[in-house]
Amino acid sequence: MNTTNKSSGKVMNRQYYPANTLLFSEGDPGDCMFVVRSGRVEIFQERPQGRVVIGTVGQGELFGEMALIDGEPRMASARTINDCELMLVPGVTFRDHMDEATPFVKAVMGILVKNLRNVDRWHNQRTIKFMDDDPEILDAIAAGPVEDSSR
């Protein structure tokens, strides 16, 4: 189903996705953002220690906007947790609205996205460095507490 956005005349597509559908992968180019009409979507990254869930989004929330703001590839993947109805906002529609924003608002949005990407890179580098320094520590953490049998 298509819905016309009256302010820009561009078409937004309403799409239905079954549970466990991969919507996009980390590193993909961003050609649209999504608004959740119903259901829940998981945002995650694959890291050396496995899948890390960054968060979930539900009805009325949006995701996938960062790649449209700065033109960088997607920094995370997204998959449906359950059946979802999503509105796809094309990049051209998003950019038309951004063109209407003041230079100040554009600058703040760009800075926020840059800062978030920097924090993500820093966190990923720290995780990799931690594992390189002592990979056995992850095994110890996963094994849980050790009982002291000397008592």
Side-chain angles (χ1 to χ4, degrees), residues 27-95:
D28 286 352
D31 57 354
C32 67
M33 71 175 215
F34 300 81
V35 179
V36 181
R37 291 181 53 91
S38 66
R40 291 201 67 72
V41 175
E42 177 181 76
I43 310 300
F44 66 93
Q45 291 180 322
E46 295 294 342
R47 296 192 178 151
Q49 70 271 28
R51 178 177 288 186
V52 175
V53 176
I54 296 170
T56 61
V57 290
Q59 184 175 9
E61 296 178 303
L62 59 91
F63 63 98
E65 75 289 351
M66 288 178 50
L68 298 180
I69 292 170
D70 67 2
E72 293 290 321
R74 306 268 191 203
M75 69 174 251
S77 301
R79 74 165 187 88
T80 58
I81 295 172
N82 48 25
D83 293 348
C84 289
E85 178 184 352
L86 306 175
M87 296 296 293
L88 280 65
V89 180
V92 66
T93 301
F94 182 85
R95 285 186 288 280

Side-chain angles (χ1 to χ4, degrees), residues 87-111:
M87 296 296 293
L88 280 65
V89 180
V92 66
T93 301
F94 182 85
R95 285 186 288 280
D96 285 349
H97 286 287
M98 283 295 290
D99 288 344
E100 297 170 7
T102 66
F104 176 78
V105 169
K106 290 179 194 177
V108 169
M109 287 181 69
I111 289 166

Side-chain angles (χ1 to χ4, degrees), residues 94-142:
F94 182 85
R95 285 186 288 280
D96 285 349
H97 286 287
M98 283 295 290
D99 288 344
E100 297 170 7
T102 66
F104 176 78
V105 169
K106 290 179 194 177
V108 169
M109 287 181 69
I111 289 166
L112 288 172
V113 168
K114 179 181 174 188
N115 289 345
L116 184 54
R117 288 187 187 274
N118 286 338
V119 166
D120 179 66
R121 286 183 193 110
W122 176 83
H123 185 267
N124 284 336
Q125 288 170 353
R126 300 258 317 160
T127 301
I128 291 167
K129 181 178 179 345
F130 174 71
M131 290 178 61
D132 288 345
D133 288 346
D134 192 356
E136 291 81 26
I137 191 115
L138 292 178
D139 293 334
I141 292 169

